[in-house]
């Protein structure tokens, strides 16, 4: 039995990893899930659910250690951004003390991916195509040859929060009144030229790239179409081959007017589109586990389909929430749930 811990059960990344684990039919897997809130819905899709301290709490390591010891965990997939640096910094200690392999990239890769300016510096350093990028405070002084429209965004941010498209110098001047932590980038292509791309790395082994043309809602992908694109696939593969990645990595890019892909964001973790990939025939979690176990796995991507995300609900008995809140550990028992496409 392979025992796998997934954290962040209240968010899309954690839930996507759980879905992908449940769709692996030929490996014996125990799914152990943790979150800081008993109302995180993903907890009730697990074999065993735990409450843990907040990641920024001094008790976080200890709350995880109890799970590692009690469950004899083999793999730990972090499901929230706030955990990434913690996991990268503690990866070796946790492996040595508990025998748990955290599926997380190196701290240097996490730092490159976490900061848009560092992403730009990395791409430039290795000669990869990239959006022209500068700190906002430096824009418009003659040293940054960019033309409008421009994109202003936090160097460290998520879900398109604080991202603005500027059409002229007046709008640029308004944003420069408080430029701390903001970068400015050239605006590449249009909304129809944007792709989110998934690749998995296990040691030096790289998976195929699945490029999805996407439509966003509040920063999250809610419609996606898989696209064959050799130029994008080659570009992402070359970038991923240099980064010190362990597990899934997500690259967001646009094609410029000449059809050249340029990465504007890296998420060095399994992404919110992991279940999209899985249901299209490329399970990024399965690729990782099977290649770690020396089991052959070849994706069979269905390019004839699209993914349309929708809202769903889970009904959970109050006594389950109460038990988890008090005991901080339960074996969830949830009745079959209705979906739009199947009545259980």
């Amino acid at each position: 039995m392979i025992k796998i811990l997934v954290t962040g059960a209240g968010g899309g990344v954690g839930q996507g990893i759980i879905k992908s684990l449940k769709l692996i039919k030929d490996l014996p897997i125990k799914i152990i899930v943790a979150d800081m809130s008993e109302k995180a819905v993903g907890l009730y899709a697990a074999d065993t659910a735990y409450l843990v301290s907040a990641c920024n709490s001094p008790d976080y390591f200890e709350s995880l250690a109890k799970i590692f010891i009690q469950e004899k965990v083999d793999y730990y997939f972090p499901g929230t951004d706030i955990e990434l640096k913690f996991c990268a910094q503690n990866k070796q200690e946790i492996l040595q003390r508990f025998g748990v392999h955290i599926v997380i990239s190196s701290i240097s890769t996490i730092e490159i991916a976490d900061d848009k300016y560092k992403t730009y510096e990395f791409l430039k350093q290795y000669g990869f195509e990239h959006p022209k990028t500068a700190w906002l405070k430096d824009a418009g002084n003659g040293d940054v040859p960019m033309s409008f429209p421009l994109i202003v965004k936090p160097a460290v941010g998520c879900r398109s929060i604080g991202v603005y498209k500027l059409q002229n110098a007046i709008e640029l001047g308004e944003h420069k009144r408080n430029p701390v932590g903001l970068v400015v980038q050239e605006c590449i292509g249009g909304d129809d030229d944007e792709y989110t791309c998934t690749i998995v790395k296990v040691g030096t082994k790289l998976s195929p790239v699945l490029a999805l043309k996407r439509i966003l809602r509040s920063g999250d992908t809610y419609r996606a179409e898989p696209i064959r694109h050799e130029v994008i696939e080659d570009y992402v593969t070359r970038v991923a081959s240099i980064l010190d990645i362990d597990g899934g990595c997500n690259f967001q890019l646009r094609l410029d007017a000449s059809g050249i892909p340029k990465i504007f964001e890296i998420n060095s973790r399994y992404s919110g589109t992991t279940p999209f990939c899985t249901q299209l025939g490329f399970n990024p979690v399965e690729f990782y586990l099977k290649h770690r176990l020396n089991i052959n796995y070849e994706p069979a991507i269905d390019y004839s389909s699209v993914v349309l995300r929708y809202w769903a609900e889970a009904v959970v008995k109050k006594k389950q929430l109460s038990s988890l809140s008090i005991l901080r550990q339960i074996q969830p028992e949830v009745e079959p749930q209705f979906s739009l496409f199947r009545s259980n």
Side-chain angles (χ1 to χ4, degrees), residues 242-264:
I242 293 178
L243 282 168
D244 187 11
I245 297 167
D246 183 28
C249 194
N250 169 258
F251 295 86
Q252 297 176 25
L253 58 86
R254 283 191 174 194
L255 301 178
D256 69 10
S258 300
I260 297 172
K262 295 181 178 180
I263 290 169
F264 61 85

Side-chain angles (χ1 to χ4, degrees), residues 61 68 76 84-107 244 246 288 292:
F61 190 106
F68 297 153
Y76 164 21
L84 300 184
K85 286 188 177 180
F86 167 90
C87 288
Q89 290 166 343
N90 291 279
K91 182 174 184 174
Q92 290 306 314
E93 180 181 353
I94 287 172
L95 180 61
Q96 290 168 5
R97 287 182 57 185
F98 306 104
V100 178
H101 182 85
I102 306 180
V103 186
I104 190 69
S105 300
S106 69
I107 188 63
D244 187 11
D246 183 28
Y288 183 84
R292 285 273 306 183

Side-chain angles (χ1 to χ4, degrees), residues 44 62 261:
Y44 303 95
E62 185 61 30

Side-chain angles (χ1 to χ4, degrees), residues 154-200:
V156 179
C158 63
R159 298 187 62 195
S160 300
I161 297 171
V163 178
Y164 298 94
K165 187 174 183 178
L166 309 183
Q167 299 293 346
N168 52 56
I170 294 175
E171 294 180 357
L172 177 62
E174 291 173 351
H175 280 81
K176 288 186 72 174
R177 292 174 184 170
N178 187 18
V180 178
L182 298 178
V183 296
V184 60
Q185 290 184 327
E186 64 174 322
C187 184
I188 301 168
D191 292 346
D192 199 46
D193 298 310
E194 185 164 317
Y195 296 81
T196 183
C197 305
T198 291
I199 192 169
V200 181

